[in-house]
Amino acid sequence: MPRTTSPTAVTADTVTAGTAITTATATAASATTAGTDSTAATARASVDCLPWEELVTSALLGTDRRPPTPRGGSVPADAPAALLDAAALHTVRQRAGLLPAVPVARPEPAAPDPRPALPDAARHRLAHLLADRAAPSGGGRRGAAPDLTELIPQWLATANRQGFRAPAALLPPLLDAARARTDLRPQALAFAGPRGLWLAGLNPDWKFALRGGASGALHPDITDPEAVGLLWEEGLFAERVALLDAVRAQDPPAALTLLATTWSAERAEDRLMFLDSLRSGLGADDEPFLEQALSDRSRNVRATAAELLSALPESALAGRMAARASSCVNPDRTRDIASIAVEAPHECDAAMQRDGVTAVPPTGRGERSWWLGQLVEATPLGVWEERFGGRSAEEIVALPVADDWAGELHAAWCRASVRQQNPQWARALLGHPSAPPASGPGTASIAERSKLLAILDQSERASWVAEFIAAHGLSEAFQLLGVCTVPWAGPLGRAVVDALDIARDGGSYPWSFSGVMGLAERCLDPAEADRLEVLTAAQDEQEGASPGAGGYWSEAFQRLVSTLRLRATMEAELMA
């Protein structure tokens, strides 16, 4: 009865060199002793020519079902022995053909990190936060338990303020978290420090950390001109951007000189990114370079150069734009009351286009209003105070505007206030927070208002948003809350909680307020937790209320309270 192998008798993983060679040697010896005929020897030799994959298939299926036979060849008399012989030969052949690996130099050790180690409780907390981030969510995170993933940014910010270094064992999960969430990267890289950057250089998955950074450890000593010049000439684009930013922070004129050495040879998209670096420390010394960039062959570069020049009130471009805008917007002398007359430009000539005015408007916009908005946006705001007889920004914004040009003019003034970071004009255009947004002095756009708010100092910003919420509720306040400093000041936090309580009493579902609830979990002062405890109780169903709304609100407030208390605990652990 012929021998056969079972489907699980031999696989690629179970055939080892020693076993296969021993089997092959024994088989060859018995064949010689028995005087195997030449036909059998020829058949066995042909089996040796089969690919490894064919041998594995034969072993898995069994030699009785899939004998190791080459196409057109004969079946070996002893198929199992022939299979093992061929496997042994393949194994020896493969191992004999391997070349020894060339040893590589060991990487240099990471730079020392002199910052103090985390307290034990804080280290365990970070490990828990990072592990929770990597855990499957199970289709949703709702419930009364805090969402730990959303607490990582605050934990990192507090740890960095305290000056701690990251535990070496937690650097890999920390870099993985930063890879997955770009919003974590600045804080995560600052916390990871030189060890994190060293580790990132050894793993392509973490190459984002090498694009510049939070710690500034990737560029050479900027006091060494030779090292700076070498990296600027030969470095990767991201390294060059980081270098330019670092030099700019220390010596703005030196950064401008460095940029000028290669400017004409740079690609258009690279010139745009480098030009953007000049926003930091922008000053009068940058004007000659930016004036030259107005003639750049790239439209985007020209537009950015014009934007930067218009942020310099004393620049020649600002003067040219002011002259154009002043010919369009003037005190209306034809009326008995003070008002504003507007005559939009009738053409966009080559000089205007060189100064950054885009000739072709977006779909749905008229040409003249489009050109007017760009002229006013680029004009120094102080020009209007002079133009209107020394009136303040608040008085000018309150003046009536002829021929329905108020919306266009006020929107352009909003953009100018943001570009020039002018708090007086921002305050005037925001108006009183209790006034209906549609009838305010500036813009009804919540997005524009949030940009104007960002110009004001922290306390004024929080007070304005608190009054806005008290007057109008939370439905339009989400973007406004996003520009307020964390933790929210007392009046702002109380205004948010009071508005949520009113919404709960109204019997609506909390889902429409989920964004605000999420912000509250991250931004409310943890000291508010005790005052919120009373809101965690489930309410009786009210007539006309959405079914189940009371239970959902109770759950939402429980989650808010537990998150605030956890934040307080985390902060205490980092202060220990």
Side-chain angles (χ1 to χ4, degrees):
M1 182 175 181
R3 291 182 296 166
T4 63
T5 57
S6 68
T8 57
V10 181
T11 68
D13 294 328
T14 59
V15 177
T16 63
T19 302
I21 292 170
T22 302
T23 303
T25 304
T27 303
S30 77
T32 302
T33 303
T36 307
D37 58 32
S38 59
T39 302
T42 302
R44 180 164 296 183
S46 65
V47 173
D48 295 339
C49 299
L50 286 174
W52 175 258
E53 292 77 10
E54 289 286 340
L55 298 177
V56 171
T57 301
S58 182
L60 289 172
L61 297 178
T63 54
D64 56 341
R65 296 176 57 195
R66 184 72 173 268
T69 308
R71 182 173 298 178
S74 58
V75 177
D78 192 347
L83 173 64
L84 292 173
D85 285 350
L89 184 60
H90 271 278
T91 301
V92 172
R93 187 181 297 147
Q94 182 182 28
R95 291 194 174 184
L98 288 177
L99 295 175
V102 178
V104 296
R106 292 185 176 182
E108 292 293 326
D113 191 340
R115 296 177 296 176
L118 282 171
D120 286 343
R123 179 169 51 81
H124 290 308
R125 178 72 62 189
L126 176 60
H128 189 195
L129 294 175
L130 294 174
D132 186 78
R133 182 203 70 83
S137 62
R141 286 282 191 145
R142 295 297 80 186
D147 186 346
L148 300 185
T149 301
E150 293 304 317
L151 297 180
I152 296 177
Q154 286 193 14
W155 190 98
L156 289 172
T158 306
N160 284 331
R161 284 197 302 270
Q162 295 300 110
F164 290 118
R165 72 168 183 264
L170 295 179
L171 285 173
L174 178 65
L175 291 172
D176 281 339
R179 179 193 179 197
R181 287 179 57 177
T182 56
D183 63 308
L184 289 180
R185 290 180 184 179
Q187 296 283 6
L189 294 180
F191 184 55
R195 289 180 178 177
L197 292 173
W198 174 85
L199 195 60
L202 303 176
N203 186 343
D205 287 345
W206 301 327
K207 62 183 179 182
F208 68 86
L210 307 178
R211 294 175 187 156
S215 67
L218 294 175
H219 53 75
D221 181 1
I222 61 174
T223 62
D224 182 353
E226 184 176 352
V228 169
L230 182 63
L231 183 57
W232 182 251
E233 292 287 344
E234 301 181 3
L236 299 174
F237 174 69
E239 294 172 327
R240 299 177 70 211
V241 170
L243 174 64
L244 185 65
D245 288 342
V247 176
R248 182 77 176 174
Q250 295 294 323
D251 188 351
L256 201 62
T257 301
L258 185 67
L259 181 57
T261 60
T262 60
W263 178 257
S264 60
E266 303 287 356
R267 300 182 305 167
E269 55 267 34
D270 294 351
R271 294 199 303 277
L272 184 62
M273 290 293 294
F274 290 139
L275 202 61
D276 207 54
S277 297
L278 301 185
R279 296 181 188 276
S280 174
L282 183 67
D285 292 341
D286 300 316
E287 184 178 358
F289 182 86
L290 293 172
E291 270 292 334
Q292 292 182 358
L294 290 176
S295 300
D296 195 271
R297 54 189 180 274
S298 167
R299 181 174 62 84
N300 290 333
V301 172
R302 295 195 301 271
T304 301
E307 179 188 346
L308 293 173
L309 283 168
S310 68
L312 298 172
E314 303 302 321
S315 69
L317 179 136
R320 296 192 296 270
M321 298 299 268
R324 295 177 181 123
S326 297
S327 68
C328 299
V329 180
N330 293 284
D332 191 346
R333 311 289 185 187
T334 65
R335 304 178 64 178
D336 294 336
I337 60 172
S339 60
I340 301 174
V342 175
E343 179 66 28
H346 291 273
E347 65 173 345
C348 182
D349 57 28
M352 288 171 61
Q353 293 182 50
R354 182 183 182 274
D355 284 347
V357 178
T358 303
V360 181
T363 303
R365 289 288 303 274
E367 286 184 335
R368 296 182 64 197
S369 64
W370 172 244
W371 299 333
L372 173 71
Q374 293 179 80
L375 295 180
V376 174
E377 179 182 353
T379 297
L381 290 164
V383 167
W384 306 115
E385 296 167 12
E386 298 176 5
R387 193 76 176 166
F388 287 90
R391 285 183 171 88
S392 67
E394 186 174 1
E395 292 171 328
I396 295 172
V397 169
L399 292 175
V401 182
D403 302 326
D404 297 324
W405 282 104
E408 191 68 48
L409 183 60
H410 289 172
W413 278 337
C414 286
R415 296 192 298 273
S417 300
V418 173
R419 181 181 295 189
Q420 298 169 38
Q421 293 291 289
N422 189 306
Q424 290 78 24
W425 277 81
R427 199 175 291 117
L429 290 161
L430 280 167
H432 196 276
S434 63
S439 62
T443 174
S445 166
I446 296 297
E448 290 291 339
R449 287 186 165 208
S450 65
K451 294 177 183 178
L452 292 172
L453 277 169
I455 302 172
L456 306 181
D457 63 50
Q458 298 176 9
S459 59
E460 185 178 3
R461 198 184 313 167
S463 296
W464 196 97
V465 177
E467 290 188 52
F468 181 90
I469 292 172
H472 309 294
L474 291 169
S475 59
E476 295 183 336
F478 183 77
Q479 284 181 285
L480 303 180
L481 287 168
V483 299
C484 294
T485 306
V486 177
W488 290 335
L492 176 57
R494 287 191 291 274
V496 171
V497 173
D498 290 343
L500 288 171
D501 191 15
I502 292 171
R504 182 189 72 146
D505 289 341
S508 61
Y509 272 116
W511 300 336
S512 57
F513 298 94
S514 59
V516 176
M517 291 294 289
L519 275 178
E521 291 171 16
R522 299 188 295 274
C523 304
L524 267 178
D525 190 330
E528 296 286 335
D530 291 340
R531 193 168 73 88
L532 286 165
E533 184 71 44
V534 67
L535 301 178
T536 61
Q539 290 181 309
D540 295 332
E541 295 290 343
Q542 303 177 25
E543 184 177 354
S546 301
Y552 282 113
W553 274 110
S554 174
E555 182 181 90
F557 278 113
Q558 288 176 37
R559 183 171 59 251
L560 177 57
V561 169
S562 61
T563 301
L564 293 178
R565 287 176 174 160
L566 177 57
R567 282 176 50 206
T569 300
M570 286 166 42
E571 187 166 348
E573 291 168 349
L574 285 164
M575 299 297 181

